[in-house]
């Protein structure tokens, strides 16, 4: 793998009808020790309240924010992410969700570990329901108290660059689909080479794993960010898993056929 580092970075934030959480997520991007070159809000059909929130965020943002939206026709996360990826101006894309609050070193941690020929996936720290509600009632930037985190989440909240570097090519090495779409990063050119997300996957589940398998089949190595790029995931009710079985079939077909290309992907959309 080449040690060349990205010269420009876009942060892609997926959202749907939760403007309060989105506000906190965007503010945590503004608080980074390395600001991105742009923020892309990939909006899966939110209504007016989210639009108003984004308009306000744009006015106050120290960096460009672009709102990429499509009509609400069900859970179409793969499609809206593809539209945002297509429009991204950064050569490197860091992907989060709109209910994620970032540690101040999150972006710089991703960029430290970024290498040509690899994509990165990290973990998340679950924030309890009570602490999530409390945070959302406060001004953005309120401190996340680790002592109030669920016990299972405390380990994921620790940050150590030497340990992260040591484990990047070892942790979950033999589990290619062990990843979280709310904490991943890629070279844009690698995403284009596999045609981005597979839009045949609709509803919750498997879209990130299926993309990861095609990247790996293409020769792009998976690296895991443990003890760095800490992302705090606000509590919410689980999405419907009614499509999960069909999505798993698409994932398994990709694995069996060693596919590298999604027939329904980024090229399904006119360039923005």
């Amino acid at each position: 793998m080449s040690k060349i580092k990205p010269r420009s970075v876009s942060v892609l934030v997926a959202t749907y009808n939760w403007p309060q959480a989105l506000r906190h997520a965007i503010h945590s991007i503004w608080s980074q020790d390395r600001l991105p070159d742009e923020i892309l809000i990939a909006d899966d059909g939110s209504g007016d309240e989210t639009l108003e929130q984004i308009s306000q965020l744009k006015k106050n943002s120290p960096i460009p924010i672009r709102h990429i939206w499509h009509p609400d026709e069900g859970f179409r996360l793969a499609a809206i992410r593809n539209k945002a990826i297509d429009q991204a101006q950064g050569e490197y894309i860091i992907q989060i969700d709109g209910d994620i609050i970032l540690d101040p070193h999150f972006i710089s941690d991703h960029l430290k570990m970024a290498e040509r020929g690899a994509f990165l996936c990290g973990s998340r720290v679950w924030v309890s329901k009570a602490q999530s509600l409390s945070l959302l009632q406060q001004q953005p930037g309120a401190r996340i108290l680790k002592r109030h985190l669920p016990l299972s989440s405390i380990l994921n909240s620790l940050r150590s660059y030497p340990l992260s570097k040591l484990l990047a090519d070892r942790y979950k090495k033999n589990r290619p689909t062990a990843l979280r779409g709310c904490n991943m990063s890629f070279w844009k050119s690698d995403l284009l080479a596999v045609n981005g997300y597979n839009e045949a996957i609709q509803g919750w589940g498997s879209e990130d794993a299926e993309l990861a398998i095609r990247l790996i089949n293409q020769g792009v190595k998976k690296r895991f960010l443990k003890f760095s790029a800490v992302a705090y995931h606000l509590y919410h009710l689980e999405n419907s898993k009614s499509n999960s079985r069909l999505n798993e079939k698409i994932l398994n077909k990709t694995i069996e056929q060693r596919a590298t290309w999604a027939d329904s992907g980024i090229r399904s959309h006119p360039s923005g």
Side-chain angles (χ1 to χ4, degrees):
M1 289 184 294
S2 168
K3 301 296 184 181
I4 295 173
K5 297 297 181 182
R7 293 170 296 180
S8 57
V9 58
S10 304
V11 173
L12 191 162
V13 186
T15 194
Y16 176 71
N17 277 337
W18 199 3
Q20 298 90 345
L22 179 63
R23 177 169 171 249
H24 284 259
I26 298 298
H27 275 262
S28 75
I29 297 173
W30 294 346
S31 299
Q32 294 294 296
D33 59 4
R34 197 292 194 191
L35 288 175
D37 296 282
E38 65 175 355
I39 298 170
L40 303 168
I41 299 177
D43 185 347
D44 193 17
S46 298
D48 290 343
E49 189 178 355
T50 295
L51 179 60
E52 291 169 8
Q53 179 67 87
I54 293 172
S55 296
Q56 190 61 45
L57 290 167
K58 284 183 174 182
K59 292 177 184 177
N60 298 322
S61 182
I63 51 179
I65 293 179
R66 284 192 285 160
H67 182 205
I68 295 93
W69 179 92
H70 65 192
D72 185 356
E73 297 176 1
F75 193 114
R76 295 189 294 147
L77 180 58
I80 197 60
R81 278 182 174 161
N82 276 346
K83 291 174 184 177
I85 290 164
D86 186 46
Q87 295 188 38
Q89 295 180 2
E91 65 177 353
Y92 199 73
I93 296 173
I94 299 176
Q95 174 180 289
I96 67 171
D97 286 349
D99 53 8
I100 293 287
I101 297 176
L102 305 179
D103 175 88
H105 310 285
F106 181 87
I107 291 176
S108 58
D109 283 350
H110 268 273
L111 295 180
K112 280 180 184 177
M113 303 297 286
E115 296 181 358
R116 283 286 186 185
F119 69 98
L120 303 176
C121 51
S123 54
R124 62 184 174 185
V125 180
W126 272 114
V127 181
S128 69
K129 182 177 181 179
Q131 191 173 7
S132 295
L133 291 173
S134 175
L135 284 166
L136 290 173
Q137 291 169 2
Q138 300 177 57
Q139 290 296 314
R143 185 182 176 190
I144 294 176
L145 299 177
K146 294 187 178 183
R147 67 177 181 272
H148 292 163
L149 293 172
L151 288 176
S152 60
S153 294
I154 290 176
L155 183 64
N156 285 342
S157 72
L158 302 178
R159 182 173 176 269
S160 167
Y161 178 66
L163 279 176
S164 184
K165 187 175 181 180
L166 176 68
L167 294 173
D169 298 314
R170 296 176 173 86
Y171 187 73
K172 297 185 178 180
K173 179 179 178 180
N174 297 320
R175 297 176 59 193
T177 61
L179 45 82
R180 300 291 181 186
C182 60
N183 186 353
M184 296 181 74
S185 64
F186 322 81
W187 294 86
K188 179 176 177 178
S189 57
D190 288 336
L191 292 173
L192 295 178
V194 298
N195 206 21
Y197 278 90
N198 188 339
E199 296 178 25
I201 295 179
Q202 298 189 17
W204 181 91
S206 298
E207 72 279 349
D208 304 302
E210 197 273 345
L211 171 63
I213 291 296
R214 282 186 287 110
L215 286 167
I216 292 168
N217 291 344
Q218 183 75 0
V220 184
K221 185 177 182 179
K222 172 192 169 186
R223 309 187 82 206
F224 203 99
L225 293 174
K226 190 69 175 175
F227 302 121
S228 66
V230 178
Y232 295 92
H233 200 158
L234 297 174
Y235 171 87
H236 60 79
L237 295 176
E238 288 190 348
N239 292 305
S240 169
K241 298 182 179 180
S242 59
N243 270 28
S244 61
R245 188 169 297 179
L246 176 60
N247 293 342
E248 286 175 6
K249 287 184 179 179
I250 296 172
L251 169 61
N252 290 333
K253 183 178 179 181
T254 297
I255 294 171
E256 292 165 3
Q257 297 185 351
R258 296 192 58 81
T260 60
W261 184 261
D263 290 333
S264 178
I266 289 176
R267 292 193 182 177
S268 302
H269 308 284
S271 177

